[in-house]
Amino acid sequence: MSQHPALVEHVLTREEIQARVVELGAQISADYAGREITLTCVLKGGFVFLADLIREITIPCSIDFMVISSYGTGTQSSGVVRILKDLDGPIDELDVIVVEDIVDSGLTLSYLLRNLKTRKPASLEVCALLAKPARLENDVKCRYVGFEIPDTFVVGYGLDAAERFRELPDIWSVDEAKL
Ligand code: 5GP
């Protein structure tokens, strides 16, 4: 599987990801010590990251999921987002951390944060595994970022290309022409 012709090179190995997720979990646990947090996972891409992150968090936390679809062409998002599945419960008065797989232009996250803010959480922060600073068009503030990566399309560790490659433990860059 790792030798699919579209997989160009390792961007991050499972060991690198795991080590950083441990750090992020420790940081979040320290920053919110004495409080309880709600992790809002954006599906589908964020599910592997959430599963690893939550096991590194040592304070009480609950989880909820959102499924959103970003209108766009090919691999570009437009920032116009449709909520396919909303949170199960209200978030007013809660300390919420949005768990995202990747922030690219930031348009999707910017829309999502505006939407969640209207629900009056006690606090609202973002934990993104990956960010592509070269592409960031929006002034979205991510309190926690796992890795900054170059402007290349990546798959693995929950991230897909047309629903493929989510199962890969490492993160790879892909040659989209060979998909
Ligand atoms: P943005 O609105 O920040 O441009 O796009 C964010 C969403 O686009 C992410 O949540 C993810 O679903 C998708 N995306 C952006 N860059 C990549 C990438 O390199 N690989 C994959 N698999 N998805 C990406």
Side-chain angles (χ1 to χ4, degrees):
M1 183 59 187
S2 62
Q3 291 315 305
H4 188 288
L7 300 175
V8 179
E9 63 179 350
H10 273 108
V11 174
L12 293 163
T13 66
R14 71 194 81 184
E15 291 81 12
E16 289 168 323
I17 299 167
Q18 201 214 336
R20 186 69 183 118
V21 171
V22 168
E23 288 176 357
L24 289 171
Q27 185 68 54
I28 290 170
S29 304
D31 291 349
Y32 290 84
R35 288 146 77 187
E36 184 167 338
I37 54 174
T38 298
L39 301 178
T40 294
C41 177
V42 184
L43 295 173
K44 299 175 187 171
F47 82 104
V48 178
F49 179 39
L50 175 80
D52 282 348
L53 182 66
I54 198 170
R55 283 174 287 177
E56 302 301 334
I57 290 177
T58 54
I59 56 171
C61 73
S62 59
I63 57 169
D64 206 341
F65 295 94
M66 274 182 106
V67 181
I68 58 176
S69 144
S70 172
Y71 288 109
T73 50
T75 55
Q76 304 280 57
S77 81
S78 63
V80 181
V81 174
R82 196 159 48 118
I83 296 178
L84 303 180
K85 182 218 167 287
D86 207 341
L87 298 174
D88 287 340
I91 55 169
D92 55 302
E93 307 299 321
L94 299 181
D95 288 312
V96 174
I97 302 178
V98 175
V99 177
E100 260 280 24
D101 51 359
I102 185 164
V103 182
D104 185 5
S105 67
L107 289 168
T108 305
L109 190 56
S110 163
Y111 177 94
L112 190 62
L113 291 176
R114 276 202 309 278
N115 180 299
L116 293 177
K117 259 181 212 149
T118 65
R119 308 182 196 194
K120 307 262 182 279
S123 67
L124 182 62
E125 301 287 352
V126 178
C127 179
L129 178 68
L130 305 173
K132 295 182 192 170
R135 297 241 321 132
L136 200 60
E137 291 170 19
N138 262 269
D139 188 22
V140 286
K141 198 170 58 63
C142 291
R143 181 161 180 189
Y144 307 99
V145 174
F147 301 91
E148 294 194 338
I149 61 165
D151 179 17
T152 175
F153 195 79
V154 294
V155 297
Y157 196 73
L159 288 150
D160 74 311
E163 295 301 326
R164 298 192 64 176
F165 306 121
R166 292 192 196 276
E167 73 282 10
L168 299 179
D170 304 330
I171 292 177
W172 294 76
S173 61
V174 289
D175 179 346
E176 291 171 59
K178 294 188 180 155
L179 284 171

